[in-house]
Structures are given as structure tokens and as C-alpha cells.
Amino acid sequence: MNELDAITAAAKQAFAQAATPAELENVKAQFLGKSGRMTELMKGLAALSVEEKKSRGAAINLAKQAIEAALTDRRQALADAELQAQLQLEALDVSLPGRQRPGGGLHPVSLTLERIEGIFGSMGFEVADGPEIETDWFNFTALNTPENHPARSMHDTFYVEGGHVLRTHTSPMQIRHAVQHVKRHRALIDAGGAMPEIRVIAPGRTYRVDSDATHSPMFHQCEGLWIGENVSFKDLKVVFTDFCRTFFESSDLVLRFRPSFFPFTEPSAEIDIQFQNGPLAGRWLEVAGSGQVHPNVVRNMGLDPEKYIGFAFGMGPDRLTMLRYGVNDLRLFFDGDIRFLSQFQ
Ligand code: PHE
């Protein structure tokens, strides 16, 4: 092998061994740099005759071209490798399935409230909403509940600052809604005209100091109120029976109005239902308190109890939800466990 071939071979080998572009540029200097081996050979030409210069120069140039070509190839190869490595590093696996965002849904108790609103809506009841932090007047006094009534004890009620309470029931909405209604129709009422009937339900959150499998400190109630000039207990029976049969999709459902006591109704009754079929068949299940609105309460609504009369009821949507779906622990509704809640979607 002549000297030029040897240098060319050495250069190719050195280039091949350079692992990075920087290393390659260092190695290049050894062959093609100012004091590189090829430059030294060119310098040697000076001592030669014109003839020798021609042939030797051409040979050196050929070798130099071969080395430069090898260098270019190696540069390209290293750049390709670098790009490849970077692509690898930044690789996105576009075949991965997208992140699923599971569809949400309504809480089972919200489903019940929607159902209640739909059924009573079809019977001409409006839906009213009111505050959960309530004054003593609306929660107790206006509802004919005297100072010494056990419902007022610290034991049963969450008192908050300023003598306010977390409403213990939705019954304060009877007064709030009726007062607004009466205000709107005051002139008509005073003129002895026929006031449009008050027909409303008021669903919402209520609070009592109570906690076990069937009681939660926060729970739901739905109030119902129908006041007119000739609204009787019979109407309560018809409306509530219709409601229960529709709600539970059970036309042979039986209702029982069991005499009871509430300060704001007289007479008063607990409403029990009995299924004729299914796992709960034959048992009496309490679903609501009810009664004919007490004259003192009618007065607090701004109406004359000699002229206006009606009924009210308060039911437990949580209880209705438990019965409808066969849930035996009320706390499940408020734990926020997605495994439980997703069953109702
Ligand atoms: N407010 C009563 C309760 O919470 C229920 C009720 C409402 C009773 C309306 C009669 C009339 O127990």
C-alpha cells in the first residue's frame, strides 16, 4: 500500500471511530487541518520538479478528495444518528387511546327531586326555593311553634350566629311563599275578589342534629302547600295518593293517613304507604307529615283563616329515593362514592 492509500485508509478508520460530531471535527484536523497530514504532503511538493509536482499533486488531490468525501459521509451519518435519537426521545405514541372523561349524571336524590317537580308540576304546583339559613320567625314562630316546643331545643337544631338556624324543615317556605303571593294579590284580596290559589312545592336541603343509617344532619325535604277558599283534607288525600302512585309507578299503592301532631297543622297526619308487590310489599312505610294548615299560620300568611283554608305536607325525598331504588343506608347518598353514584346513571 503506498503512503497516500495508507493515509486515506487511516482517515476513513479514524472518521468511523469518531462517535460525535465534535470528535469528528477534531479528527478531521489531523488530516485536513493547517498542520494536518495532507497539508504536510502538499508542502512537500515545493521541493519537486514541475513534472513531479503535476503527477504527485494530482495523486495527493485524489487522496484528499477521497478523505473529504469520507468526512462528508461520516458527518451525515452522525447527524442522522443524532436526529434519530432525538426523535426517539420525543416520540409520541399516537396509537394510545385518548383519556376518557366519563359522562357525569344527576345524583339519585336530584333525580327524585326532578321527578317530584314534574309530577306536582303536572298538577299545577309551582316550585319555590328559599334560604337554608333561616330566621327564628320563619322556621318556628310563624309556624305556630311556641318557645318551649321541643323542636326548638339545642338538641335538635343547628343554631348559627345572630339567633338564626339552619332550617329544620322546608315548612318556613309555606310562609315565605304565601306572603309573597298575598302581597302580589293584596288589592284583589282587600276588594273581596277571588285570590288565585296558592299551589306550590318547595324542595331543598334541611338540617337537624341527627346521624345514623336513616338520618343525616343534612337531608332533603319537599314542602307542599295548597291554599284556597275551599281546599279540604280530601284534596290532600287525592293529590298525595296520585303523587305516590305516579312516583312509584304503582297504581295499587295504598296510603294511610295516621293521626299525628304538628304545631302548624290541625288536624295533622303522618302519611304511610304500602306496596302490594315487590320486596317491601305489606309493610307500612312513613313518607310524609301533613295536615290542614293551622288558622294561626294562615293568619301569618296575611290571610283571613275564616276565608282561606288548605293543606300542607312535608315529605322526605331521600326516603323516597331509598324506597324507589332499594337503598338501605341514607349515608351512601352523601358520601360521594362514585361506585355507588354511578349506578344511577
Ligand atoms: N315540617 C314537618 C316535619 O319536618 C312536616 C310537615 C310539613 C307536617 C307540612 C305538616 C305539614 O316533620
Side-chain angles (χ1 to χ4, degrees):
M1 197 189 284
N2 71 31
E3 189 194 12
L4 285 176
D5 288 345
I7 294 177
T8 307
K12 283 182 177 171
Q13 196 186 352
F15 292 162
Q17 276 166 7
T20 66
E23 245 180 78
L24 181 63
E25 296 313 311
N26 279 338
V27 175
K28 169 203 157 188
Q30 290 172 27
F31 294 92
L32 302 171
K34 261 190 213 152
S35 48
R37 291 172 73 177
M38 293 311 285
T39 319
E40 293 301 321
L41 287 179
M42 293 295 253
K43 283 180 189 160
L45 287 178
L48 300 181
S49 70
V50 176
E51 273 313 301
E52 281 172 324
K53 267 183 193 159
K54 253 194 188 161
S55 62
R56 178 69 174 160
I60 293 175
N61 264 336
L62 269 180
K64 201 177 160 193
Q65 278 165 19
I67 291 171
E68 277 168 351
L71 177 68
T72 307
D73 284 354
R74 185 61 184 153
R75 272 190 187 136
Q76 191 59 53
L78 286 177
D80 286 353
E82 196 168 42
L83 181 65
Q84 214 48 50
Q86 191 172 353
L87 287 177
Q88 204 89 67
L89 209 68
E90 296 170 359
L92 276 182
D93 184 352
V94 292
S95 69
L96 269 181
R99 286 201 187 110
Q100 302 267 334
R101 190 189 282 252
L106 286 179
H107 189 280
V109 174
S110 299
L111 292 173
T112 294
L113 292 176
E114 279 202 340
R115 227 175 137 67
I116 293 172
E117 289 172 16
I119 297 168
F120 279 102
S122 75
M123 295 194 265
F125 282 73
E126 1 171 4
V127 180
D129 200 12
E132 291 170 31
I133 297 177
E134 195 46 284
T135 61
D136 186 278
W137 167 257
F138 285 114
N139 197 79
F140 295 123
T141 314
L143 290 166
N144 200 37
T145 306
E147 285 289 346
N148 57 359
H149 192 278
R152 290 193 158 206
S153 84
M154 303 293 268
H155 214 73
D156 292 336
T157 304
F158 289 108
Y159 282 85
V160 296
E161 282 170 15
H164 288 57
V165 298
L166 297 186
R167 64 179 180 188
T168 58
H169 52 181
T170 45
S171 299
M173 282 307 293
Q174 288 185 33
I175 309 288
R176 282 186 179 277
H177 182 81
V179 164
Q180 289 303 315
H181 183 95
V182 168
K183 210 165 155 186
R184 271 203 302 281
H185 301 290
R186 187 80 262 172
L188 186 69
I189 295 166
D190 288 347
M195 175 191 79
E197 290 185 338
I198 298 173
R199 217 180 292 171
V200 69
I201 59 166
R205 278 183 281 269
T206 47
Y207 303 83
R208 281 182 212 174
V209 184
D210 223 348
S211 187
D212 59 41
T214 53
H215 296 90
S216 151
M218 187 286 293
F219 58 105
H220 295 85
Q221 277 199 346
C222 181
E223 199 74 7
L225 177 70
W226 186 352
I227 301 276
E229 289 184 30
N230 196 15
V231 182
S232 73
F233 218 93
K234 173 203 74 185
D235 297 304
L236 166 62
K237 283 187 152 182
V238 170
V239 163
F240 212 82
T241 303
D242 252 18
F243 163 72
C244 289
R245 290 184 175 162
T246 310
F247 183 87
F248 289 108
E249 295 164 279
S250 166
S251 56
D252 56 359
L253 192 76
V254 177
L255 276 76
R256 176 173 77 177
F257 290 75
R258 180 163 41 87
S260 183
F261 172 79
F262 298 101
F264 36 92
T265 48
E266 182 61 37
S268 304
E270 306 275 1
I271 306 176
D272 302 332
I273 61 170
Q274 189 189 71
F275 293 98
Q276 305 309 303
N277 300 291
L280 296 168
R283 279 172 54 190
W284 285 110
L285 309 156
E286 187 184 320
V287 291
S290 67
Q292 183 172 304
V293 179
H294 193 286
N296 286 346
V297 175
V298 174
R299 207 168 283 121
N300 288 332
M301 292 170 175
L303 293 170
D304 175 5
E306 295 296 329
K307 183 165 181 193
Y308 293 99
I309 188 169
F311 64 80
F313 58 81
M315 61 180 151
D318 306 327
R319 191 81 207 288
L320 295 183
T321 313
M322 291 171 80
L323 293 173
R324 179 147 191 256
Y325 296 110
V327 175
N328 55 15
D329 192 331
L330 176 69
R331 291 168 292 198
L332 286 166
F333 289 141
F334 309 123
D335 283 346
D337 188 331
I338 212 78
R339 292 169 301 179
F340 171 73
L341 296 174
S342 62
Q343 296 176 78
F344 298 89
Q345 302 319 317

